[in-house]
């Protein structure tokens, strides 16, 4: 499964559907260079609906904010990319009746062990690199972590690899981590926040060549 995150234009949304990618992500975090308004996301979501799963990425958002997104954008999945607790994930999942994907920062074996507390309360875990100390956004920083930490990982829920992936390294990442689902954002951009269609195509080709 491939997720392209941080889509903000019709042109790149069309590229994602053309490549038959499984998930498209819209970022509702104002500090992110990939941020989209609810109005923009609604238009893009309506354009790609039924062709790809629509993921709404939020960071420590309250129920009112989530409700506005759910009512207007009608996402298929809620991605929680802040420091939401397992209990908060369970609460959101129950309140909105949507699958929840929890992003967790990984830098050590202890971080991997801590994932088990989320397993009963989420539908998928997205394993990302922890942000650099000078970053004010939790993801999309173009940094990776030691993929060997995920070798042999069995959580009983689907896992998606994220963090610093690109057409150049995704084949290596898949081989080392043993994970088959991937998420990319900055790795398919020609400049910060601006997706590149050729890079999207190259990334998808690399992943599919490994899986096939």
């Amino acid at each position: 499964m491939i997720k392209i995150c941080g889509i903000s234009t019709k042109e790149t949304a069309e590229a994602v559907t053309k490549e038959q990618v499984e998930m498209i992500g819209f970022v509702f975090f104002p500090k992110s260079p990939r941020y989209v308004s609810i109005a923009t996301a609604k238009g893009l979501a309506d354009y790609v609906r039924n062709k790809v799963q629509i993921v709404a990425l939020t960071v420590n958002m309250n129920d009112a904010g989530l409700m506005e997104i759910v009512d207007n954008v009608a996402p298929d999945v809620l991605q929680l990319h802040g420091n939401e607790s397992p209990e908060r994930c369970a609460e959101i999942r129950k309140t909105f009746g949507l699958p929840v994907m929890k992003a967790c920062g990984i830098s050590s074996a202890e971080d991997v062990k801590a994932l088990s507390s989320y397993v009963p309360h989420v539908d998928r875990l997205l394993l990302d690199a922890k942000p650099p100390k000078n970053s004010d956004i939790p993801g999309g920083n173009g940094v990776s972590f030691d993929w060997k930490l995920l070798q042999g990982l069995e959580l009983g829920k689907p896992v998606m690899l994220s963090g610093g992936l690109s057409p150049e390294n995704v084949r290596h990442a898949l081989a080392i981590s043993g994970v088959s689902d991937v998420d990319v954002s900055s790795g398919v951009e020609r400049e910060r926040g601006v997706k590149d269609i050729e890079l999207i195509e190259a990334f998808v080709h690399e992943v599919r060549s490994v899986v096939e």
Side-chain angles (χ1 to χ4, degrees):
M1 182 175 281
I2 301 171
K3 173 171 168 276
I4 310 290
C5 198
I7 295 295
S8 58
T9 67
K10 188 174 180 180
E11 179 187 34
T12 49
E14 186 173 18
V16 169
T17 58
K18 182 182 176 184
E19 292 299 316
Q20 298 183 322
V21 165
E22 288 80 8
M23 286 182 167
I24 187 171
F26 299 120
V27 177
F28 297 95
F29 183 57
K31 289 184 178 181
S32 171
R34 303 162 190 97
Y35 170 76
V36 288
S37 67
I38 286 180
T40 296
K42 182 183 187 308
L44 293 173
D46 289 345
Y47 181 65
V48 302
R49 200 173 306 282
N50 300 321
K51 299 176 186 174
V52 59
Q53 288 187 58
I54 296 161
V55 181
L57 186 159
T58 65
V59 178
N60 301 324
M61 188 174 279
N62 61 26
D63 282 1
L66 290 168
M67 183 65 77
E68 189 176 7
I69 291 169
V70 170
D71 286 349
N72 288 279
V73 182
D76 299 298
V77 180
L78 292 174
Q79 178 177 331
L80 309 180
H81 214 109
N83 54 12
E84 298 90 355
S85 67
E87 294 74 22
R88 176 62 177 149
C89 291
E91 183 181 278
I92 289 170
R93 199 181 185 200
K94 181 178 180 181
T95 298
F96 298 97
L98 288 171
V100 164
M101 174 161 56
K102 179 69 182 86
C104 297
I106 303 293
S107 66
S108 67
E110 286 69 32
D111 295 327
V112 176
K113 289 177 184 176
L115 297 173
S116 59
S117 63
Y118 282 96
V119 170
H121 309 296
V122 303
D123 299 274
R124 180 182 294 274
L125 286 156
L126 184 144
L127 308 184
D128 198 357
K130 289 186 175 179
K133 289 181 180 178
N134 61 348
S135 175
D136 59 356
I137 59 173
N141 290 295
V143 293
S144 58
F145 61 94
D146 183 358
W147 300 315
K148 290 179 183 176
L149 290 168
L150 305 185
Q151 290 177 351
L153 182 65
E154 290 290 342
L155 292 174
K157 289 287 174 74
V159 169
M160 184 168 271
L161 179 63
S162 186
L165 299 178
S166 68
E168 290 75 30
N169 69 11
V170 69
R171 182 185 292 262
H172 189 53
L174 290 167
I176 291 177
S177 68
V179 176
S180 58
D181 297 346
V182 290
D183 166 76
V184 67
S185 185
S186 61
V188 291
E189 292 178 349
R190 61 176 176 266
E191 58 185 88
R192 197 163 186 254
V194 182
K195 294 292 184 285
D196 183 286
I197 290 173
E198 289 185 2
L199 288 175
I200 290 173
E201 292 171 350
F203 184 86
V204 173
H205 174 76
E206 284 296 309
V207 176
R208 296 239 167 96
S209 67
V210 173
V211 175
E212 290 166 4

